[in-house]
Amino acid sequence: MKTILTTLCLLAITATGFADDYDEYYQSLPCKVKRVVPVEIPDNKVLLTDCGAVGDGATLCTEAFEKAISRLSKMGGGQVVVPEGVWLTGPIMLKDNIELHLERNALVTFSPDKRLYLDKNPDASRVYPCIRASKRKNIAITGDGTLDGGGQQWRPVKRSKMSDVEWNAYLAMGGQLTEKGDLWYPWQMKSGYPDIADTPEKQEGMRNDLIRLTDCENVLIEDVTIQNSPRFHLHPCYCANVIIDDVTVRSEWNVQNGDGIDLSDCHQALIVDCTVSVGDDGICMKSGKPSKSHPISGCEDIVVVNNTVNHAHGGFVFGSETAAGMRRMVVRHNTFSGTDVGLRFKSSLDRGGRSEQIFISDIMMNDISGEAISFRCDYVNKHAGKETGTPVYTEAQKRWAPQFQDIHISRVVCRGCKTGIEASGIAGLDCVKDIHISDCSIIYNKVDKQIDPSTAHVLLDNVRLIPNRAQ
Protein backbone atom coordinates (compact mmCIF):
# COMPACT_ATOMS: atom_id res chain seq x y z
CA MET A 1 0.00 0.00 0.00
CA LYS A 2 2.87 2.38 0.86
CA THR A 3 4.44 1.72 -2.57
CA ILE A 4 1.16 2.49 -4.33
CA LEU A 5 0.69 5.68 -2.33
CA THR A 6 4.26 6.77 -3.03
CA THR A 7 3.77 6.17 -6.74
CA LEU A 8 0.52 8.13 -6.73
CA CYS A 9 2.22 10.99 -4.90
CA LEU A 10 5.05 11.06 -7.43
CA LEU A 11 2.55 11.10 -10.27
CA ALA A 12 0.69 13.93 -8.60
CA ILE A 13 3.90 15.90 -8.12
CA THR A 14 4.86 15.33 -11.76
CA ALA A 15 1.43 16.41 -12.98
CA THR A 16 1.48 19.48 -10.74
CA GLY A 17 4.99 20.35 -11.87
CA PHE A 18 3.88 20.28 -15.51
CA ALA A 19 0.78 22.33 -14.76
CA ASP A 20 2.80 24.92 -12.83
CA ASP A 21 5.54 25.48 -15.43
CA TYR A 22 4.52 29.11 -15.88
CA ASP A 23 3.77 30.00 -12.25
CA GLU A 24 6.98 32.00 -11.80
CA TYR A 25 5.85 34.62 -14.32
CA TYR A 26 2.70 35.35 -12.34
CA GLN A 27 4.31 36.03 -8.98
CA SER A 28 3.87 39.47 -7.33
CA LEU A 29 1.99 41.03 -10.24
CA PRO A 30 0.74 44.61 -9.75
CA CYS A 31 -2.75 43.66 -10.97
CA LYS A 32 -4.79 40.51 -11.23
CA VAL A 33 -4.02 38.72 -14.50
CA LYS A 34 -5.62 35.48 -15.63
CA ARG A 35 -2.73 33.07 -16.12
CA VAL A 36 -2.13 30.74 -19.02
CA VAL A 37 -2.53 27.00 -18.73
CA PRO A 38 -0.33 24.43 -20.50
CA VAL A 39 -1.40 23.16 -23.91
CA GLU A 40 -1.92 19.41 -24.04
CA ILE A 41 -1.36 17.43 -27.25
CA PRO A 42 -2.12 13.68 -27.55
CA ASP A 43 0.92 11.40 -27.46
CA ASN A 44 0.76 10.22 -31.08
CA LYS A 45 3.49 10.84 -33.65
CA VAL A 46 3.71 10.74 -37.42
CA LEU A 47 7.04 11.21 -39.18
CA LEU A 48 6.76 13.53 -42.17
CA THR A 49 8.89 11.21 -44.31
CA ASP A 50 6.37 8.41 -43.72
CA CYS A 51 3.88 10.50 -45.69
CA GLY A 52 6.08 10.86 -48.77
CA ALA A 53 8.11 13.98 -47.90
CA VAL A 54 11.68 14.35 -49.15
CA GLY A 55 13.92 16.88 -47.43
CA ASP A 56 16.06 17.75 -50.43
CA GLY A 57 14.91 21.36 -50.81
CA ALA A 58 13.49 20.61 -54.26
CA THR A 59 10.60 18.19 -53.69
CA LEU A 60 7.33 19.93 -52.85
CA CYS A 61 6.04 18.51 -49.55
CA THR A 62 2.65 20.24 -49.25
CA GLU A 63 0.73 16.99 -49.73
CA ALA A 64 2.93 15.19 -47.20
CA PHE A 65 2.12 17.79 -44.51
CA GLU A 66 -1.58 17.44 -45.31
CA LYS A 67 -1.41 13.64 -45.08
CA ALA A 68 0.47 13.71 -41.77
CA ILE A 69 -2.01 16.13 -40.20
CA SER A 70 -4.98 14.16 -41.55
CA ARG A 71 -3.57 10.87 -40.25
CA LEU A 72 -3.06 12.34 -36.77
CA SER A 73 -6.51 13.92 -36.77
CA LYS A 74 -8.06 10.48 -37.26
CA MET A 75 -6.13 9.34 -34.16
CA GLY A 76 -7.40 12.29 -32.12
CA GLY A 77 -4.32 14.43 -32.68
CA GLY A 78 -0.59 14.30 -32.03
CA GLN A 79 2.78 15.44 -33.28
CA VAL A 80 3.93 15.86 -36.89
CA VAL A 81 7.67 15.26 -36.61
CA VAL A 82 9.77 17.13 -39.17
CA PRO A 83 13.32 15.69 -39.14
CA GLU A 84 16.59 17.26 -40.26
CA GLY A 85 16.39 18.39 -43.87
CA VAL A 86 15.16 21.22 -46.08
CA TRP A 87 11.44 20.82 -46.63
CA LEU A 88 9.91 22.86 -49.45
CA THR A 89 6.17 23.35 -49.05
CA GLY A 90 3.12 25.42 -49.81
CA PRO A 91 0.75 26.58 -47.06
CA ILE A 92 0.13 24.37 -44.02
CA MET A 93 -3.22 24.26 -42.21
CA LEU A 94 -3.26 23.02 -38.61
CA LYS A 95 -6.22 21.21 -37.05
CA ASP A 96 -7.39 20.47 -33.49
CA ASN A 97 -4.84 18.75 -31.22
CA ILE A 98 -1.99 19.02 -33.75
CA GLU A 99 1.61 19.88 -32.94
CA LEU A 100 4.06 20.71 -35.71
CA HIS A 101 7.44 19.71 -34.25
CA LEU A 102 10.65 20.70 -36.03
CA GLU A 103 13.69 18.72 -34.96
CA ARG A 104 17.12 20.33 -34.86
CA ASN A 105 18.36 21.29 -38.36
CA ALA A 106 14.89 20.95 -39.84
CA LEU A 107 14.32 23.89 -42.19
CA VAL A 108 10.79 24.33 -43.52
CA THR A 109 10.95 26.77 -46.42
CA PHE A 110 7.83 28.03 -48.15
CA SER A 111 7.63 27.85 -51.91
CA PRO A 112 8.02 30.98 -54.06
CA ASP A 113 5.12 29.78 -56.23
CA LYS A 114 2.45 32.31 -55.26
CA ARG A 115 -0.32 30.26 -56.87
CA LEU A 116 -0.11 27.76 -54.02
CA TYR A 117 -1.33 30.39 -51.55
CA LEU A 118 -4.40 31.64 -53.41
CA ASP A 119 -7.43 31.62 -51.11
CA LYS A 120 -10.35 29.55 -52.38
CA ASN A 121 -12.66 32.33 -51.26
CA PRO A 122 -12.93 34.68 -54.27
CA ASP A 123 -13.66 37.61 -51.94
CA ALA A 124 -10.44 37.17 -49.94
CA SER A 125 -8.15 40.19 -50.10
CA ARG A 126 -5.01 38.28 -49.11
CA VAL A 127 -3.49 34.91 -49.86
CA TYR A 128 -3.28 32.07 -47.34
CA PRO A 129 -0.65 32.50 -44.61
CA CYS A 130 2.27 30.09 -44.72
CA ILE A 131 0.85 28.40 -41.60
CA ARG A 132 -2.76 28.94 -40.57
CA ALA A 133 -5.47 27.69 -38.26
CA SER A 134 -9.02 28.90 -37.75
CA LYS A 135 -11.40 28.03 -34.90
CA ARG A 136 -9.10 25.29 -33.61
CA LYS A 137 -8.20 24.07 -30.12
CA ASN A 138 -4.90 22.75 -28.78
CA ILE A 139 -2.41 23.59 -31.51
CA ALA A 140 1.34 23.90 -31.19
CA ILE A 141 4.46 24.68 -33.20
CA THR A 142 7.60 23.54 -31.38
CA GLY A 143 11.17 22.34 -31.74
CA ASP A 144 14.65 23.58 -32.60
CA GLY A 145 14.07 23.95 -36.35
CA THR A 146 13.38 26.96 -38.55
CA LEU A 147 10.40 28.25 -40.53
CA ASP A 148 11.39 30.47 -43.48
CA GLY A 149 8.61 32.40 -45.22
CA GLY A 150 10.54 33.25 -48.40
CA GLY A 151 9.52 36.86 -48.00
CA GLN A 152 11.76 38.23 -50.75
CA GLN A 153 9.30 36.83 -53.27
CA TRP A 154 6.50 38.96 -51.79
CA ARG A 155 7.79 42.19 -50.27
CA PRO A 156 8.60 45.52 -51.93
CA VAL A 157 11.82 47.17 -50.81
CA LYS A 158 12.84 50.81 -50.72
CA ARG A 159 16.08 51.93 -52.35
CA SER A 160 16.69 54.36 -49.49
CA LYS A 161 16.91 51.45 -47.05
CA MET A 162 19.38 49.42 -49.11
CA SER A 163 23.12 49.39 -49.49
CA ASP A 164 24.39 49.03 -53.07
CA VAL A 165 25.19 45.37 -52.42
CA GLU A 166 21.70 44.62 -51.08
CA TRP A 167 19.98 46.57 -53.85
CA ASN A 168 21.91 44.78 -56.58
CA ALA A 169 21.03 41.43 -55.03
CA TYR A 170 17.33 42.26 -55.34
CA LEU A 171 17.75 43.48 -58.91
CA ALA A 172 19.46 40.20 -59.75
CA MET A 173 16.23 38.35 -58.85
CA GLY A 174 14.34 40.24 -61.55
CA GLY A 175 11.41 42.31 -60.34
CA GLN A 176 10.21 45.74 -61.37
CA LEU A 177 11.27 49.25 -60.39
CA THR A 178 9.00 52.25 -60.07
CA GLU A 179 9.51 55.05 -62.57
CA LYS A 180 11.58 56.97 -60.03
CA GLY A 181 13.69 53.91 -59.33
CA ASP A 182 13.08 54.29 -55.59
CA LEU A 183 11.03 51.14 -55.02
CA TRP A 184 11.43 47.51 -56.14
CA TYR A 185 8.54 45.06 -56.49
CA PRO A 186 8.88 41.26 -56.75
CA TRP A 187 7.12 41.22 -60.11
CA GLN A 188 8.00 39.05 -63.11
CA MET A 189 10.75 37.37 -61.15
CA LYS A 190 13.54 35.36 -62.75
CA SER A 191 12.43 32.34 -60.71
CA GLY A 192 9.87 31.79 -63.47
CA TYR A 193 6.85 31.45 -61.19
CA PRO A 194 3.89 33.43 -62.53
CA ASP A 195 2.40 36.47 -60.82
CA ILE A 196 -1.10 36.23 -59.33
CA ALA A 197 -2.39 39.78 -59.87
CA ASP A 198 -2.47 42.15 -62.81
CA THR A 199 -0.21 44.81 -61.24
CA PRO A 200 2.72 44.65 -58.82
CA GLU A 201 0.87 46.96 -56.43
CA LYS A 202 -2.16 44.65 -56.24
CA GLN A 203 0.05 41.63 -55.73
CA GLU A 204 1.92 43.40 -52.94
CA GLY A 205 -1.39 44.01 -51.18
CA MET A 206 -2.15 40.29 -51.21
CA ARG A 207 0.85 39.16 -49.17
CA ASN A 208 0.08 37.61 -45.81
CA ASP A 209 1.63 36.49 -42.55
CA LEU A 210 3.99 33.61 -41.96
CA ILE A 211 1.90 32.28 -39.03
CA ARG A 212 -1.67 33.52 -38.58
CA LEU A 213 -3.96 31.81 -36.10
CA THR A 214 -7.56 33.04 -35.91
CA ASP A 215 -10.24 32.29 -33.28
CA CYS A 216 -8.11 29.56 -31.71
CA GLU A 217 -7.92 28.37 -28.11
CA ASN A 218 -4.88 26.88 -26.36
CA VAL A 219 -1.93 27.82 -28.56
CA LEU A 220 1.74 27.02 -27.90
CA ILE A 221 4.64 28.36 -29.97
CA GLU A 222 7.89 27.20 -28.40
CA ASP A 223 11.62 27.17 -29.25
CA VAL A 224 11.31 27.53 -33.03
CA THR A 225 12.98 30.14 -35.23
CA ILE A 226 10.54 32.10 -37.41
CA GLN A 227 12.13 34.19 -40.14
CA ASN A 228 11.79 36.04 -43.41
CA SER A 229 8.01 36.47 -43.49
CA PRO A 230 6.10 37.95 -46.42
CA ARG A 231 4.42 40.24 -43.86
CA PHE A 232 3.93 39.77 -40.06
CA HIS A 233 5.86 36.83 -38.63
CA LEU A 234 3.76 35.50 -35.74
CA HIS A 235 0.19 36.78 -35.57
CA PRO A 236 -2.45 35.20 -33.27
CA CYS A 237 -5.81 36.93 -33.80
CA TYR A 238 -8.89 36.57 -31.55
CA CYS A 239 -7.16 33.74 -29.67
CA ALA A 240 -7.34 32.66 -26.02
CA ASN A 241 -4.66 31.05 -23.86
CA VAL A 242 -1.60 31.76 -26.01
CA ILE A 243 1.93 30.82 -24.91
CA ILE A 244 4.94 32.08 -26.91
CA ASP A 245 8.04 30.72 -25.22
CA ASP A 246 11.73 30.97 -26.20
CA VAL A 247 11.01 31.79 -29.82
CA THR A 248 13.43 33.57 -32.17
CA VAL A 249 11.85 35.90 -34.74
CA ARG A 250 14.06 37.61 -37.28
CA SER A 251 14.22 39.35 -40.63
CA GLU A 252 16.33 41.94 -42.39
CA TRP A 253 16.13 45.32 -40.65
CA ASN A 254 14.54 47.02 -43.67
CA VAL A 255 11.66 44.60 -44.27
CA GLN A 256 8.39 46.39 -45.07
CA ASN A 257 5.60 45.56 -42.53
CA GLY A 258 7.78 42.81 -41.07
CA ASP A 259 6.36 42.83 -37.51
CA GLY A 260 7.77 40.23 -35.13
CA ILE A 261 5.15 39.07 -32.60
CA ASP A 262 1.71 40.66 -32.87
CA LEU A 263 -1.21 39.79 -30.62
CA SER A 264 -4.45 41.05 -32.16
CA ASP A 265 -7.46 40.90 -29.82
CA CYS A 266 -6.10 38.07 -27.68
CA HIS A 267 -6.98 37.08 -24.12
CA GLN A 268 -4.79 35.29 -21.58
CA ALA A 269 -1.32 35.28 -23.17
CA LEU A 270 2.30 34.88 -22.11
CA ILE A 271 5.31 36.00 -24.17
CA VAL A 272 8.52 34.91 -22.47
CA ASP A 273 12.25 34.49 -23.25
CA CYS A 274 11.89 35.44 -26.93
CA THR A 275 14.44 37.20 -29.14
CA VAL A 276 13.14 39.48 -31.88
CA SER A 277 14.97 41.42 -34.60
CA VAL A 278 12.75 42.56 -37.47
CA GLY A 279 11.90 45.36 -39.90
CA ASP A 280 8.84 46.76 -38.12
CA ASP A 281 7.39 46.55 -34.60
CA GLY A 282 8.96 43.97 -32.29
CA ILE A 283 6.34 42.84 -29.75
CA CYS A 284 3.03 44.53 -30.51
CA MET A 285 -0.50 44.57 -29.08
CA LYS A 286 -3.29 45.36 -31.56
CA SER A 287 -7.04 45.64 -31.10
CA GLY A 288 -9.57 46.37 -33.84
CA LYS A 289 -13.16 47.45 -33.45
CA PRO A 290 -15.46 44.89 -31.82
CA SER A 291 -16.87 42.43 -34.33
CA LYS A 292 -19.83 40.04 -34.13
CA SER A 293 -17.76 37.62 -36.21
CA HIS A 294 -15.31 37.02 -33.35
CA PRO A 295 -16.12 36.13 -29.72
CA ILE A 296 -12.92 37.75 -28.40
CA SER A 297 -12.44 41.50 -28.41
CA GLY A 298 -9.56 43.59 -27.10
CA CYS A 299 -6.23 42.49 -25.61
CA GLU A 300 -6.32 41.49 -21.94
CA ASP A 301 -4.58 39.38 -19.29
CA ILE A 302 -1.18 39.47 -21.00
CA VAL A 303 2.29 39.05 -19.47
CA VAL A 304 5.43 39.93 -21.45
CA VAL A 305 8.64 39.08 -19.60
CA ASN A 306 12.35 38.34 -20.17
CA ASN A 307 12.39 39.12 -23.90
CA THR A 308 15.05 40.83 -26.02
CA VAL A 309 14.20 43.03 -28.99
CA ASN A 310 17.06 44.18 -31.17
CA HIS A 311 16.19 45.98 -34.38
CA ALA A 312 12.52 46.97 -34.62
CA HIS A 313 10.45 50.13 -35.04
CA GLY A 314 9.38 49.66 -31.42
CA GLY A 315 10.44 47.29 -28.65
CA PHE A 316 7.03 46.97 -26.98
CA VAL A 317 4.17 48.59 -28.88
CA PHE A 318 0.49 49.44 -28.61
CA GLY A 319 -1.30 49.98 -31.91
CA SER A 320 -1.88 51.43 -34.21
CA GLU A 321 -5.30 49.74 -33.74
CA THR A 322 -6.38 49.90 -30.09
CA ALA A 323 -10.15 50.25 -30.61
CA ALA A 324 -11.49 47.38 -28.46
CA GLY A 325 -9.10 48.25 -25.66
CA MET A 326 -6.03 47.07 -23.80
CA ARG A 327 -6.58 45.69 -20.30
CA ARG A 328 -4.55 44.09 -17.52
CA MET A 329 -1.06 43.80 -18.95
CA VAL A 330 2.26 43.35 -17.18
CA VAL A 331 5.45 43.97 -19.17
CA ARG A 332 8.69 43.60 -17.21
CA HIS A 333 12.33 42.57 -17.35
CA ASN A 334 12.77 43.09 -21.09
CA THR A 335 15.74 44.43 -23.07
CA PHE A 336 15.52 46.69 -26.14
CA SER A 337 18.86 47.22 -27.86
CA GLY A 338 18.93 49.09 -31.17
CA THR A 339 15.21 49.68 -31.70
CA ASP A 340 13.87 52.89 -33.24
CA VAL A 341 11.62 53.48 -30.20
CA GLY A 342 11.64 51.67 -26.87
CA LEU A 343 8.09 51.82 -25.49
CA ARG A 344 5.81 52.95 -28.30
CA PHE A 345 2.12 53.84 -27.96
CA LYS A 346 0.65 54.83 -31.32
CA SER A 347 -2.88 55.27 -32.61
CA SER A 348 -5.17 57.78 -34.29
CA LEU A 349 -8.77 58.78 -34.75
CA ASP A 350 -10.94 55.93 -36.06
CA ARG A 351 -8.46 53.42 -34.58
CA GLY A 352 -8.31 54.25 -30.90
CA GLY A 353 -9.63 52.68 -27.72
CA ARG A 354 -9.12 52.67 -23.95
CA SER A 355 -6.25 51.17 -21.95
CA GLU A 356 -6.67 49.99 -18.35
CA GLN A 357 -4.25 48.60 -15.75
CA ILE A 358 -1.10 48.61 -17.84
CA PHE A 359 2.08 48.07 -15.79
CA ILE A 360 5.52 48.27 -17.42
CA SER A 361 8.70 47.97 -15.37
CA ASP A 362 12.37 47.02 -15.36
CA ILE A 363 13.03 47.74 -19.03
CA MET A 364 16.67 48.00 -20.09
CA MET A 365 17.50 49.92 -23.29
CA ASN A 366 20.43 51.22 -25.27
CA ASP A 367 21.11 52.67 -28.73
CA ILE A 368 17.53 53.79 -29.31
CA SER A 369 17.53 55.91 -32.47
CA GLY A 370 14.32 57.78 -31.61
CA GLU A 371 12.38 58.04 -28.35
CA ALA A 372 12.82 55.88 -25.27
CA ILE A 373 9.10 56.35 -24.47
CA SER A 374 6.58 57.70 -26.98
CA PHE A 375 2.83 58.45 -27.00
CA ARG A 376 1.44 59.55 -30.36
CA CYS A 377 -2.18 59.89 -31.47
CA ASP A 378 -1.60 60.96 -35.09
CA TYR A 379 -0.28 57.71 -36.55
CA VAL A 380 -0.84 57.18 -40.28
CA ASN A 381 -0.20 53.80 -41.89
CA LYS A 382 1.88 54.42 -45.02
CA HIS A 383 1.95 51.68 -47.64
CA ALA A 384 5.02 51.23 -49.79
CA GLY A 385 4.96 53.45 -52.84
CA LYS A 386 2.01 55.55 -51.70
CA GLU A 387 2.13 59.13 -50.53
CA THR A 388 -0.17 59.78 -47.58
CA GLY A 389 -1.48 63.28 -47.02
CA THR A 390 -3.19 64.64 -43.94
CA PRO A 391 -6.19 62.39 -43.24
CA VAL A 392 -9.68 63.82 -42.87
CA TYR A 393 -11.95 62.19 -40.27
CA THR A 394 -15.72 62.12 -39.94
CA GLU A 395 -17.51 62.65 -36.63
CA ALA A 396 -18.21 58.91 -36.50
CA GLN A 397 -14.51 58.18 -36.82
CA LYS A 398 -13.68 60.69 -34.10
CA ARG A 399 -15.70 58.60 -31.67
CA TRP A 400 -12.91 56.01 -31.95
CA ALA A 401 -10.28 58.34 -30.49
CA PRO A 402 -7.28 56.86 -28.62
CA GLN A 403 -7.48 56.78 -24.83
CA PHE A 404 -4.01 56.03 -23.54
CA GLN A 405 -4.59 56.10 -19.79
CA ASP A 406 -3.96 54.14 -16.57
CA ILE A 407 -0.44 53.31 -17.78
CA HIS A 408 2.30 52.94 -15.17
CA ILE A 409 5.95 52.84 -16.29
CA SER A 410 8.76 52.38 -13.78
CA ARG A 411 12.43 51.46 -13.51
CA VAL A 412 13.34 52.08 -17.12
CA VAL A 413 17.06 52.47 -17.75
CA CYS A 414 18.07 53.76 -21.17
CA ARG A 415 21.56 54.68 -22.32
CA GLY A 416 21.37 56.49 -25.62
CA CYS A 417 18.23 57.75 -27.34
CA LYS A 418 17.47 60.82 -29.44
CA THR A 419 14.60 61.94 -27.20
CA GLY A 420 13.86 60.73 -23.70
CA ILE A 421 10.06 61.03 -23.46
CA GLU A 422 7.62 62.19 -26.14
CA ALA A 423 3.87 62.58 -25.63
CA SER A 424 1.15 64.35 -27.58
CA GLY A 425 -2.58 63.83 -27.88
CA ILE A 426 -5.34 65.45 -29.92
CA ALA A 427 -6.57 68.97 -29.19
CA GLY A 428 -9.97 68.96 -27.52
CA LEU A 429 -9.87 65.22 -26.72
CA ASP A 430 -8.56 63.54 -23.57
CA CYS A 431 -6.33 61.05 -25.39
CA VAL A 432 -3.23 60.87 -23.17
CA LYS A 433 -3.87 61.06 -19.43
CA ASP A 434 -3.16 59.28 -16.15
CA ILE A 435 0.30 58.29 -17.38
CA HIS A 436 2.69 57.75 -14.47
CA ILE A 437 6.42 57.37 -15.20
CA SER A 438 8.64 56.84 -12.17
CA ASP A 439 12.13 55.88 -11.01
CA CYS A 440 13.71 55.97 -14.47
CA SER A 441 17.15 56.92 -15.76
CA ILE A 442 17.31 58.00 -19.41
CA ILE A 443 20.45 59.27 -21.12
CA TYR A 444 19.40 61.22 -24.21
CA ASN A 445 21.41 62.52 -27.17
CA LYS A 446 19.29 65.48 -28.36
CA VAL A 447 16.15 66.29 -26.37
CA ASP A 448 15.17 65.37 -22.81
CA LYS A 449 11.40 65.46 -23.31
CA GLN A 450 8.75 66.71 -25.72
CA ILE A 451 5.46 66.57 -23.83
CA ASP A 452 2.59 68.74 -25.05
CA PRO A 453 0.96 69.89 -21.79
CA SER A 454 -2.24 70.90 -23.58
CA THR A 455 -2.96 67.41 -24.95
CA ALA A 456 -0.92 64.98 -22.83
CA HIS A 457 -1.01 64.65 -19.06
CA VAL A 458 2.06 62.72 -17.93
CA LEU A 459 3.31 62.61 -14.33
CA LEU A 460 7.06 62.20 -13.95
CA ASP A 461 8.25 61.02 -10.53
CA ASN A 462 11.97 60.62 -9.86
CA VAL A 463 12.76 60.47 -13.58
CA ARG A 464 16.35 61.45 -14.39
CA LEU A 465 16.85 62.77 -17.94
CA ILE A 466 20.59 63.03 -18.46
CA PRO A 467 22.34 64.51 -21.53
CA ASN A 468 24.81 62.20 -23.22
CA ARG A 469 28.17 63.90 -22.85
CA ALA A 470 29.72 61.53 -25.39
CA GLN A 471 27.68 63.10 -28.22
Side-chain angles (χ1 to χ4, degrees):
M1 177 63 72
K2 181 181 289 186
T3 303
I4 294 172
L5 288 174
T6 302
T7 303
L8 289 173
C9 288
L10 287 172
L11 288 172
I13 290 170
T14 302
T16 302
F18 176 73
D20 292 342
D21 280 349
Y22 303 108
D23 270 357
E24 64 179 290
Y25 306 115
Y26 292 85
Q27 301 301 313
S28 304
L29 297 186
C31 66
K32 188 176 181 180
V33 177
K34 187 176 182 180
R35 57 153 292 165
V36 296
V37 296
V39 178
E40 297 183 2
I41 303 293
D43 192 22
N44 302 311
K45 295 184 180 181
V46 170
L47 194 63
L48 189 65
T49 48
D50 289 342
C51 296
V54 180
D56 60 0
T59 303
L60 191 65
C61 301
T62 312
E63 186 176 346
F65 278 104
E66 292 175 357
K67 285 182 178 179
I69 292 169
S70 178
R71 187 178 298 178
L72 283 166
S73 292
K74 292 175 182 177
M75 293 188 283
Q79 189 181 79
V80 178
V81 179
V82 184
E84 178 176 308
V86 179
W87 311 93
L88 179 69
T89 183
I92 297 170
M93 183 175 69
L94 300 179
K95 297 181 179 181
D96 291 339
N97 304 309
I98 295 296
E99 175 182 353
L100 182 64
H101 181 77
L102 280 62
E103 294 188 333
R104 184 176 296 277
N105 297 318
L107 173 57
V108 176
T109 182
F110 289 88
S111 171
D113 187 349
K114 299 179 178 68
R115 295 171 297 180
L116 299 174
Y117 305 87
L118 285 170
D119 196 313
K120 294 178 182 178
N121 179 359
D123 297 325
S125 61
R126 297 184 184 277
V127 299
Y128 285 135
C130 299
I131 297 177
R132 72 188 191 276
S134 178
K135 299 180 180 179
R136 297 296 182 180
K137 290 186 178 181
N138 307 321
I139 56 175
I141 302 172
T142 66
D144 295 321
T146 299
L147 298 164
D148 190 300
Q152 296 96 332
Q153 298 291 325
W154 291 95
R155 299 185 304 257
V157 295
K158 295 178 180 179
R159 179 64 182 95
S160 60
K161 291 187 174 184
M162 295 276 141
S163 68
D164 290 345
V165 171
E166 291 172 306
W167 186 248
N168 289 334
Y170 275 97
L171 295 181
M173 292 191 291
Q176 178 175 305
L177 292 176
T178 56
E179 187 175 342
K180 292 181 181 179
D182 59 348
L183 187 67
W184 175 90
Y185 284 102
W187 178 257
Q188 297 178 347
M189 300 286 278
K190 290 182 180 178
S191 62
Y193 294 108
D195 296 303
I196 56 173
D198 55 10
T199 69
E201 292 84 2
K202 287 182 180 179
Q203 183 167 275
E204 186 274 331
M206 296 172 70
R207 62 192 172 107
N208 214 332
D209 308 333
L210 204 165
I211 301 173
R212 185 182 177 97
L213 311 173
T214 307
D215 296 306
C216 294
E217 183 179 350
N218 303 335
V219 173
L220 173 65
I221 312 295
E222 185 176 48
D223 295 335
V224 294
T225 294
I226 304 166
Q227 65 185 31
N228 196 20
S229 177
R231 191 170 170 263
F232 297 172
H233 285 78
L234 176 52
H235 194 192
C237 306
Y238 311 105
C239 293
N241 195 50
V242 177
I243 301 165
I244 302 172
D245 185 358
D246 198 23
V247 169
T248 298
V249 184
R250 64 188 183 196
S251 70
E252 297 167 335
W253 73 269
N254 43 25
V255 164
Q256 190 79 17
N257 306 121
D259 287 26
I261 300 172
D262 284 10
L263 298 186
S264 291
D265 293 283
C266 289
H267 291 185
Q268 195 180 348
L270 172 67
I271 302 174
V272 59
D273 292 332
C274 295
T275 300
V276 179
S277 185
V278 291
D280 211 303
D281 290 327
I283 299 173
C284 185
M285 306 291 118
K286 296 179 179 292
S287 174
K289 295 175 183 176
S291 168
K292 294 181 180 179
S293 302
H294 305 285
I296 287 180
S297 186
C299 286
E300 62 183 51
D301 294 312
I302 294 171
V303 173
V304 180
V305 61
N306 292 344
N307 302 285
T308 298
V309 181
N310 295 311
H311 191 276
H313 285 182
F316 178 77
V317 182
F318 271 16
S320 58
E321 300 85 3
T322 61
M326 305 287 181
R327 298 174 288 274
R328 297 185 303 280
M329 292 189 196
V330 178
V331 181
R332 58 185 182 181
H333 301 297
N334 296 284
T335 296
F336 308 146
S337 181
T339 62
D340 294 351
V341 181
L343 299 170
R344 186 185 192 195
F345 303 84
K346 58 175 181 175
S347 193
S348 65
L349 295 174
D350 197 41
R351 293 184 176 204
R354 180 184 177 91
S355 61
E356 303 173 53
Q357 298 187 72
I358 310 300
F359 295 89
I360 302 172
S361 65
D362 302 289
I363 307 297
M364 306 298 115
M365 309 184 199
N366 76 324
D367 294 335
I368 307 300
S369 62
E371 301 81 24
I373 302 171
S374 174
F375 293 87
R376 296 290 298 271
C377 298
D378 59 353
Y379 181 80
V380 176
N381 189 23
K382 298 179 180 179
H383 295 280
K386 294 183 179 179
E387 297 296 330
T388 305
T390 302
V392 177
Y393 296 100
T394 66
E395 289 302 315
Q397 290 172 320
K398 289 179 182 179
R399 285 198 288 269
W400 294 98
Q403 296 183 60
F404 292 132
Q405 56 101 55
D406 197 5
I407 297 175
H408 309 271
I409 300 171
S410 62
R411 297 186 298 280
V412 171
V413 179
C414 176
R415 179 169 179 83
C417 60
K418 181 180 179 181
T419 302
I421 301 171
E422 172 194 60
S424 61
I426 300 172
L429 300 174
D430 226 4
C431 294
V432 182
K433 63 180 180 180
D434 189 20
I435 309 296
H436 187 198
I437 303 175
S438 64
D439 302 319
C440 298
S441 177
I442 299 174
I443 299 177
Y444 64 89
N445 299 332
K446 299 293 182 181
V447 180
D448 58 350
K449 59 183 182 293
Q450 290 180 324
I451 301 175
D452 180 358
S454 66
T455 62
H457 307 289
V458 180
L459 174 63
L460 303 184
D461 179 12
N462 190 33
V463 174
R464 296 194 305 154
L465 297 165
I466 307 165
N468 190 349
R469 303 301 182 189
Q471 293 298 307

